[in-house]
Amino acid sequence: QLGIHYDDGDLGLPKDVPRAVELWTEAAELGSLSAHCNLGARYYTGDGVEEDKPRGIDHFQQAAMKGQVLSRNNLGVVEAIDGNYELAVQ
């Protein structure tokens, strides 16, 4: 969860979004579902990184398929935003 602390700039660490993304990327490559969720949110919204909605959705999907509930919720929100209400509630 070191990426979260860099993202928030707490525990005496400087706020450093690029470092947070770097740490989450490494953690996601090692199988961290929460790292996939964090990357999904960053890339989908473009908050601190260049917006890349497909890449964000891919991260959400990777985590959701392995049971990460927040990523599944985020996929539902994405579908609702896109007007796919039937798919959003599945």
Side-chain angles (χ1 to χ4, degrees):
Q1 295 297 341
L2 186 57
I4 294 289
H5 298 300
Y6 273 106
D7 186 46
D8 292 339
D10 61 7
L11 298 180
L13 295 170
K15 182 169 180 67
D16 188 345
V17 174
R19 178 69 176 138
V21 170
E22 178 183 321
L23 290 168
W24 289 330
T25 300
E26 290 178 29
E29 289 170 357
L30 294 171
S32 169
L33 303 182
S34 61
H36 276 295
C37 185
N38 290 329
L39 288 169
R42 284 294 178 169
Y43 284 112
Y44 189 81
T45 63
D47 184 16
V49 296
E50 185 175 337
E51 184 179 296
D52 186 344
K53 290 188 185 303
R55 188 173 184 181
I57 290 169
D58 181 62
H59 279 290
F60 288 147
Q61 288 173 335
Q62 288 186 55
M65 290 189 314
K66 293 182 180 173
Q68 213 271 353
V69 177
L70 183 56
S71 289
R72 180 63 200 111
N73 177 74
N74 290 344
L75 287 170
V77 170
V78 166
E79 292 300 338
I81 290 169
D82 290 344
N84 302 321
Y85 303 112
E86 293 296 319
L87 192 55
V89 297
Q90 291 184 9

